[in-house]
Amino acid sequence: MTAKLCQQLLNNLYIYSLKQEFQQERQMARELFFISTGKVNDEDPFFEQRMACFQEFFVFDYRLSDGFSGSTVFETFLYNGQSGFSVDDMNLYEQLRSFKHSLFRVESLQTDEHLIVTDLLSNERLHIFSLPEFNFAGFDSSQFFEGRLICFNQKHFFTGAFILHGKEVRSAVKKSIFEFLSGKNYCKADSTVAWKEELEARKSLLRTITEKKQQIEQTEKKKAIDLLKVTKQIAQIPRILSSNNLVMALGEEKDISCYVPESPFYDALILIHKLAYRELKCYRYKHIDPVKIYESVDDHLDNIQMPRVPARAS
């Protein structure tokens, strides 16, 4: 029953994300996702799997415009749900805040519905179960993969959106993780910022991007190109704003923001998307050694310049 209930809650979120009010944001998010992880075609054998990853990206990771106070679709759902759901229902959805989007290694395949994995970013060992709409058939011992897990009713589940990385690139993936964890872009506890400060910075940045989008809408020439440039700029938000100390529960502290139910920016999203991009590149360029592709330094987001965040008025 726990797995079925968890699956139903996720499906409700996915249906909610298809609302008309998110249509323009969804189009922008899709362009961003393809820029970050590589363009897929309808006839690609992994098309549905990549679209499942996009669906979760849009619901849980993508920051909406400042019209939504910079919240995610999931946070917007929780915020609006306060007036429509019972306390028990809200508590069920609140559990989905536990999601963790990371890179994992299979330690042991217990059954087609039960894995023992290690989170390669936190080095945490976990027992994970499948939801009703998929299973782990086809996973191998020591398989490296991207996934998203949630803890629901004290049990860990994968949501079912995976990107598998081949065994020949395991060393390259581990090298990328090591460089990420030891690099300047990793958010360490002693270098985080207060959640109020981060919220103000986020609102300023989103305001800047929204103003640019409005300017583009009024421009007749080069509209598509300019819109793409702004979309690329949004891709850098997680790198600029990052804190592991943001408030994670709705309404439990009196000084929580009244604008946005808080959840953290995930620095790891940049790393996860780069590896997904390289996995797709291996499929496109089968004549190139996949290890060389995974160790490539031509990161397609690194040269994008973000707009300067305007200084706050004193």
Side-chain angles (χ1 to χ4, degrees):
M1 287 297 295
T2 295
K4 289 183 179 180
L5 178 57
C6 184
Q7 183 75 74
Q8 184 58 56
L9 296 181
L10 288 171
N11 289 344
N12 291 345
L13 282 173
Y14 300 152
I15 293 172
Y16 177 80
S17 73
L18 299 175
K19 290 171 67 72
Q20 182 67 26
E21 63 191 274
F22 299 126
Q23 183 176 356
Q24 186 175 1
E25 295 283 346
R26 188 180 186 89
Q27 181 181 357
M28 182 72 77
R30 182 168 172 145
E31 291 297 324
L32 168 59
F33 186 76
F34 282 154
I35 290 169
S36 301
T37 65
K39 176 73 174 179
V40 295
N41 303 316
D42 293 355
E43 64 273 15
D44 287 334
F46 46 80
F47 177 78
E48 291 187 4
Q49 193 62 37
R50 285 291 178 122
M51 288 301 95
C53 291
F54 163 70
Q55 175 63 45
E56 293 189 358
F57 166 75
F58 183 56
V59 170
F60 292 108
D61 297 321
Y62 180 75
R63 292 281 162 188
L64 303 170
S65 66
D66 61 357
F68 297 90
S69 299
S71 63
T72 64
V73 170
F74 175 48
E75 291 167 345
T76 303
F77 178 87
L78 289 179
Y79 188 77
N80 293 335
Q82 294 177 92
S83 59
F85 289 119
S86 67
V87 173
D88 289 341
D89 286 339
M90 282 299 294
N91 286 336
L92 289 174
Y93 281 106
E94 284 281 352
Q95 291 189 60
L96 301 185
R97 285 183 181 275
S98 65
F99 76 85
K100 179 185 290 188
H101 189 193
S102 190
L103 296 161
F104 301 90
R105 178 180 63 231
V106 175
E107 302 297 343
S108 176
L109 181 60
Q110 304 292 295
T111 69
D112 284 350
E113 289 79 32
H114 179 198
L115 289 176
I116 299 177
V117 303
T118 295
D119 181 340
L120 295 171
L121 294 177
S122 66
N123 200 32
E124 184 179 8
R125 193 180 179 97
L126 299 161
H127 286 257
I128 313 291
F129 298 87
S130 67
L131 294 175
E133 295 184 3
F134 74 95
N135 60 45
F136 301 126
F139 276 66
D140 299 320
S141 179
S142 299
Q143 173 75 61
F144 280 38
F145 65 97
E146 169 193 337
R148 189 185 301 267
L149 66 82
I150 54 179
C151 184
F152 186 77
N153 288 347
Q154 300 182 331
K155 196 172 183 179
H156 289 95
F157 298 98
F158 275 125
T159 58
F162 302 111
I163 294 179
L164 307 183
H165 298 284
K167 61 182 180 181
E168 67 273 18
V169 298
R170 289 171 188 167
S171 295
V173 171
K174 288 194 289 186
K175 179 180 178 182
S176 295
I177 292 172
F178 174 79
E179 291 174 350
F180 168 74
L181 294 177
S182 59
K184 64 180 180 180
N185 292 326
Y186 180 58
C187 185
K188 297 182 175 61
D190 58 358
S191 61
T192 57
V193 296
W195 71 267
K196 288 185 178 180
E197 178 185 346
E198 178 156 331
L199 181 60
E200 287 298 324
R202 178 200 303 175
K203 289 169 63 178
S204 296
L205 183 58
L206 288 168
R207 190 180 306 117
T208 300
I209 293 175
T210 300
E211 289 172 357
K212 286 184 173 291
K213 288 164 66 176
Q214 292 173 345
Q215 293 172 8
I216 291 169
E217 290 172 357
Q218 299 171 0
T219 303
E220 293 296 329
K221 297 180 180 180
K222 299 182 180 178
K223 188 173 181 180
I225 296 176
D226 289 342
L227 183 61
L228 184 61
K229 289 180 180 178
V230 172
T231 305
K232 289 182 178 180
Q233 291 167 353
I234 298 174
Q236 292 292 64
I237 291 178
R239 181 174 294 183
I240 291 177
L241 302 176
S242 52
S243 171
N244 287 336
N245 294 335
L246 290 183
V247 179
M248 287 294 292
L250 181 63
E252 293 186 359
E253 299 288 344
K254 62 181 181 180
D255 58 349
I256 285 180
S257 164
C258 60
Y259 302 103
V260 183
E262 289 299 320
S263 69
F265 282 88
Y266 287 87
D267 302 73
L269 198 60
I270 297 294
L271 169 67
I272 292 170
H273 280 183
K274 282 182 179 180
L275 292 175
Y277 177 85
R278 290 167 185 174
E279 191 272 339
L280 178 62
K281 198 172 180 181
C282 288
Y283 176 81
R284 296 277 185 254
Y285 302 99
K286 295 183 175 66
H287 60 288
I288 301 178
D289 182 355
V291 175
K292 291 183 178 180
I293 292 177
Y294 269 74
E295 292 182 343
S296 171
V297 295
D298 60 337
D299 297 325
H300 53 294
L301 297 178
D302 282 355
N303 295 323
I304 300 171
Q305 298 297 317
M306 282 298 298
R308 293 182 63 85
V309 178
R312 293 177 58 192
S314 57

